[in-house]
Amino acid sequence: SKADEYADDDKEGIYKGLYAMLLCRVTLGRARYTDEVSPDGAKLKQDCVGPHAKYDSVLGDRKKTRGTYREFVCYSPGQAYPEYVIIYRRVEPSTAAAPAAAPAPAPTAPPAAAPPETDRRTAF
């Protein structure tokens, strides 16, 4: 994830070797879109902050320009609400366990044979 690109592991203590990220609810408002390879960060911020701001946030389309992740930047703390703290350990692809194979479907019983025809005549 994009957040993982910025994360550092804790070097000591009870969280040694673990990473953390926040999962937030964010209100972007009117987003200033950019797909520039090297955008002018000061200009983008100016478009979003101050008395003449026309935008509330920036959407940097890094997926389009670099093939990575889109970036969302908001400048007001009131726009983001941290909802979850996620603590995790990175697992390198070479050491990750292979995904388990899907279980085989349960065998199905053959359809029950139709009951034999019964003679509904009554003998007197």
Side-chain angles (χ1 to χ4, degrees):
S1 74
K2 186 65 183 177
D4 184 60
E5 289 181 2
Y6 291 102
D8 285 326
D9 65 327
D10 200 2
K11 303 299 183 214
E12 55 188 57
I14 62 171
Y15 297 108
K16 184 178 180 180
L18 299 177
Y19 295 79
M21 73 172 71
L22 293 174
L23 180 63
C24 301
R25 288 187 186 263
V26 178
T27 303
L28 295 177
R30 184 171 184 201
R32 163 76 161 81
Y33 176 85
T34 181
D35 60 0
E36 298 173 66
V37 173
S38 298
D40 181 347
K43 172 68 172 116
L44 293 173
K45 183 175 181 178
Q46 180 183 341
D47 288 348
C48 299
V49 178
H52 303 292
K54 297 178 184 176
Y55 301 94
D56 303 299
S57 60
V58 174
L59 189 170
D61 197 347
R62 309 301 285 169
K63 184 172 183 178
K64 180 178 179 182
T65 60
R66 302 278 182 163
T68 62
Y69 301 97
R70 296 184 304 161
E71 295 183 6
F72 300 90
V73 180
C74 53
Y75 297 95
S76 171
Q79 288 178 265
Y81 175 79
E83 185 132 359
Y84 297 97
V85 175
I86 301 169
I87 307 291
Y88 64 99
R89 182 179 318 277
R90 287 184 183 157
V91 178
E92 298 300 323
S94 61
T95 61
T108 56
E117 291 242 8
T118 55
D119 188 352
R120 296 180 190 254
R121 294 178 285 169
T122 306
F124 290 105

Short mmCIF file of all heavy atoms in Angstrom, two decimals, residues 6 32-45 47 58-62 65-66 71 73 75:
data_model
loop_
_atom_site.label_atom_id
_atom_site.label_comp_id
_atom_site.label_asym_id
_atom_site.label_seq_id
_atom_site.Cartn_x
_atom_site.Cartn_y
_atom_site.Cartn_z
N TYR A 6 5.83 4.52 3.25
CA TYR A 6 6.33 5.52 4.18
C TYR A 6 6.62 4.96 5.56
O TYR A 6 7.16 5.66 6.41
CB TYR A 6 5.30 6.65 4.33
CG TYR A 6 5.14 7.49 3.09
CD1 TYR A 6 4.06 7.31 2.24
CD2 TYR A 6 6.07 8.47 2.76
CE1 TYR A 6 3.89 8.08 1.10
CE2 TYR A 6 5.92 9.25 1.62
CZ TYR A 6 4.83 9.05 0.80
OH TYR A 6 4.68 9.82 -0.32
N ARG A 32 -8.03 19.03 -5.91
CA ARG A 32 -7.19 19.56 -7.00
C ARG A 32 -6.46 18.37 -7.60
O ARG A 32 -5.62 17.74 -6.95
CB ARG A 32 -6.22 20.59 -6.43
CG ARG A 32 -5.02 20.95 -7.29
CD ARG A 32 -5.39 21.86 -8.44
NE ARG A 32 -4.25 22.55 -8.97
CZ ARG A 32 -3.37 22.03 -9.83
NH1 ARG A 32 -3.49 20.78 -10.24
NH2 ARG A 32 -2.38 22.77 -10.29
N TYR A 33 -6.78 18.01 -8.84
CA TYR A 33 -6.20 16.84 -9.52
C TYR A 33 -4.90 17.23 -10.20
O TYR A 33 -4.80 18.29 -10.84
CB TYR A 33 -7.18 16.30 -10.57
CG TYR A 33 -6.63 15.16 -11.37
CD1 TYR A 33 -6.70 13.86 -10.90
CD2 TYR A 33 -6.03 15.38 -12.61
CE1 TYR A 33 -6.20 12.80 -11.64
CE2 TYR A 33 -5.52 14.33 -13.36
CZ TYR A 33 -5.61 13.05 -12.87
OH TYR A 33 -5.11 12.01 -13.59
N THR A 34 -3.89 16.39 -10.06
CA THR A 34 -2.66 16.57 -10.82
C THR A 34 -2.12 15.22 -11.26
O THR A 34 -2.15 14.25 -10.51
CB THR A 34 -1.57 17.33 -10.02
OG1 THR A 34 -0.42 17.49 -10.87
CG2 THR A 34 -1.18 16.61 -8.76
N ASP A 35 -1.67 15.19 -12.51
CA ASP A 35 -1.00 13.99 -13.01
C ASP A 35 0.39 14.35 -13.53
O ASP A 35 0.96 13.65 -14.35
CB ASP A 35 -1.84 13.29 -14.09
CG ASP A 35 -2.12 14.16 -15.29
OD1 ASP A 35 -1.67 15.34 -15.33
OD2 ASP A 35 -2.80 13.69 -16.22
N GLU A 36 0.94 15.43 -13.00
CA GLU A 36 2.30 15.84 -13.36
C GLU A 36 3.30 14.87 -12.76
O GLU A 36 3.12 14.39 -11.64
CB GLU A 36 2.60 17.25 -12.84
CG GLU A 36 1.69 18.33 -13.40
CD GLU A 36 1.95 19.65 -12.71
OE1 GLU A 36 3.07 20.19 -12.88
OE2 GLU A 36 1.05 20.13 -12.01
N VAL A 37 4.38 14.60 -13.49
CA VAL A 37 5.42 13.71 -12.99
C VAL A 37 6.14 14.35 -11.81
O VAL A 37 6.42 13.70 -10.81
CB VAL A 37 6.42 13.34 -14.12
CG1 VAL A 37 7.59 12.55 -13.56
CG2 VAL A 37 5.71 12.55 -15.21
N SER A 38 6.42 15.64 -11.89
CA SER A 38 7.08 16.37 -10.81
C SER A 38 6.27 17.62 -10.48
O SER A 38 6.60 18.73 -10.91
CB SER A 38 8.50 16.78 -11.22
OG SER A 38 9.29 15.64 -11.49
N PRO A 39 5.19 17.46 -9.74
CA PRO A 39 4.33 18.61 -9.46
C PRO A 39 5.00 19.61 -8.49
O PRO A 39 5.87 19.24 -7.71
CB PRO A 39 3.09 17.99 -8.81
CG PRO A 39 3.56 16.70 -8.24
CD PRO A 39 4.68 16.24 -9.13
N ASP A 40 4.57 20.84 -8.56
CA ASP A 40 5.05 21.90 -7.67
C ASP A 40 4.22 21.83 -6.39
O ASP A 40 3.09 22.31 -6.34
CB ASP A 40 4.89 23.25 -8.37
CG ASP A 40 5.39 24.43 -7.53
OD1 ASP A 40 5.64 24.25 -6.32
OD2 ASP A 40 5.50 25.53 -8.10
N GLY A 41 4.79 21.23 -5.35
CA GLY A 41 4.08 21.04 -4.09
C GLY A 41 3.62 22.34 -3.46
O GLY A 41 2.52 22.42 -2.91
N ALA A 42 4.45 23.40 -3.54
CA ALA A 42 4.08 24.69 -2.96
C ALA A 42 2.86 25.27 -3.67
O ALA A 42 1.95 25.81 -3.03
CB ALA A 42 5.26 25.65 -3.02
N LYS A 43 2.82 25.13 -4.98
CA LYS A 43 1.68 25.65 -5.76
C LYS A 43 0.41 24.85 -5.43
O LYS A 43 -0.67 25.42 -5.27
CB LYS A 43 1.98 25.58 -7.25
CG LYS A 43 0.83 25.90 -8.18
CD LYS A 43 0.42 27.37 -8.10
CE LYS A 43 -0.60 27.70 -9.17
NZ LYS A 43 -1.89 28.08 -8.61
N LEU A 44 0.54 23.53 -5.32
CA LEU A 44 -0.61 22.70 -4.97
C LEU A 44 -1.16 23.09 -3.60
O LEU A 44 -2.37 23.21 -3.41
CB LEU A 44 -0.24 21.22 -5.01
CG LEU A 44 0.08 20.64 -6.38
CD1 LEU A 44 0.60 19.22 -6.25
CD2 LEU A 44 -1.12 20.71 -7.30
N LYS A 45 -0.25 23.29 -2.64
CA LYS A 45 -0.69 23.70 -1.30
C LYS A 45 -1.35 25.06 -1.34
O LYS A 45 -2.38 25.28 -0.71
CB LYS A 45 0.50 23.71 -0.34
CG LYS A 45 0.11 24.04 1.07
CD LYS A 45 1.27 23.91 2.04
CE LYS A 45 0.82 24.25 3.45
NZ LYS A 45 1.92 24.08 4.42
N ASP A 47 -3.04 26.31 -3.70
CA ASP A 47 -4.38 26.15 -4.27
C ASP A 47 -5.39 25.66 -3.24
O ASP A 47 -6.59 25.77 -3.45
CB ASP A 47 -4.35 25.16 -5.44
CG ASP A 47 -3.66 25.72 -6.67
OD1 ASP A 47 -3.41 26.93 -6.73
OD2 ASP A 47 -3.36 24.91 -7.58
N VAL A 58 -5.66 17.63 -2.48
CA VAL A 58 -4.97 17.32 -3.74
C VAL A 58 -5.08 15.83 -4.00
O VAL A 58 -4.92 15.02 -3.09
CB VAL A 58 -3.47 17.72 -3.66
CG1 VAL A 58 -2.73 17.26 -4.91
CG2 VAL A 58 -3.32 19.22 -3.47
N LEU A 59 -5.37 15.48 -5.23
CA LEU A 59 -5.32 14.09 -5.68
C LEU A 59 -4.17 14.00 -6.67
O LEU A 59 -4.26 14.51 -7.78
CB LEU A 59 -6.64 13.69 -6.35
CG LEU A 59 -6.84 12.21 -6.68
CD1 LEU A 59 -8.27 11.96 -7.11
CD2 LEU A 59 -5.88 11.63 -7.65
N GLY A 60 -3.07 13.40 -6.24
CA GLY A 60 -1.91 13.20 -7.11
C GLY A 60 -2.01 11.83 -7.77
O GLY A 60 -1.94 10.81 -7.09
N ASP A 61 -2.20 11.82 -9.06
CA ASP A 61 -2.42 10.55 -9.78
C ASP A 61 -1.09 9.91 -10.13
O ASP A 61 -0.64 9.91 -11.28
CB ASP A 61 -3.26 10.79 -11.02
CG ASP A 61 -3.86 9.51 -11.58
OD1 ASP A 61 -3.44 8.42 -11.15
OD2 ASP A 61 -4.77 9.60 -12.42
N ARG A 62 -0.43 9.33 -9.11
CA ARG A 62 0.85 8.66 -9.31
C ARG A 62 0.66 7.34 -10.05
O ARG A 62 1.59 6.82 -10.65
CB ARG A 62 1.55 8.42 -7.98
CG ARG A 62 1.66 9.66 -7.10
CD ARG A 62 2.40 10.78 -7.76
NE ARG A 62 3.82 10.50 -7.75
CZ ARG A 62 4.71 11.19 -8.43
NH1 ARG A 62 4.33 12.19 -9.19
NH2 ARG A 62 5.98 10.89 -8.38
N THR A 65 1.04 8.40 -13.63
CA THR A 65 2.36 8.90 -14.02
C THR A 65 3.50 7.94 -13.72
O THR A 65 4.50 7.92 -14.43
CB THR A 65 2.67 10.25 -13.34
OG1 THR A 65 2.65 10.07 -11.93
CG2 THR A 65 1.68 11.30 -13.75
N ARG A 66 3.38 7.15 -12.64
CA ARG A 66 4.48 6.29 -12.22
C ARG A 66 4.11 4.82 -12.09
O ARG A 66 4.96 4.00 -11.77
CB ARG A 66 5.03 6.76 -10.87
CG ARG A 66 5.52 8.18 -10.83
CD ARG A 66 6.91 8.26 -11.35
NE ARG A 66 7.37 9.64 -11.24
CZ ARG A 66 8.61 9.98 -11.31
NH1 ARG A 66 9.53 9.07 -11.45
NH2 ARG A 66 8.96 11.24 -11.24
N GLU A 71 -2.18 9.46 -4.66
CA GLU A 71 -1.94 10.10 -3.38
C GLU A 71 -3.03 11.13 -3.11
O GLU A 71 -3.40 11.90 -4.00
CB GLU A 71 -0.58 10.79 -3.36
CG GLU A 71 0.58 9.83 -3.49
CD GLU A 71 1.94 10.52 -3.41
OE1 GLU A 71 2.00 11.74 -3.16
OE2 GLU A 71 2.94 9.83 -3.62
N VAL A 73 -3.92 14.25 -0.50
CA VAL A 73 -3.33 15.13 0.50
C VAL A 73 -4.39 16.12 0.95
O VAL A 73 -5.01 16.80 0.12
CB VAL A 73 -2.13 15.91 -0.09
CG1 VAL A 73 -1.52 16.83 0.96
CG2 VAL A 73 -1.09 14.95 -0.65
N TYR A 75 -5.01 19.29 3.92
CA TYR A 75 -4.20 20.20 4.72
C TYR A 75 -4.86 20.60 6.04
O TYR A 75 -4.23 21.17 6.90
CB TYR A 75 -3.87 21.46 3.90
CG TYR A 75 -3.04 21.13 2.68
CD1 TYR A 75 -3.64 20.91 1.45
CD2 TYR A 75 -1.67 20.98 2.78
CE1 TYR A 75 -2.89 20.58 0.34
CE2 TYR A 75 -0.90 20.65 1.68
CZ TYR A 75 -1.52 20.45 0.45
OH TYR A 75 -0.77 20.11 -0.63
#
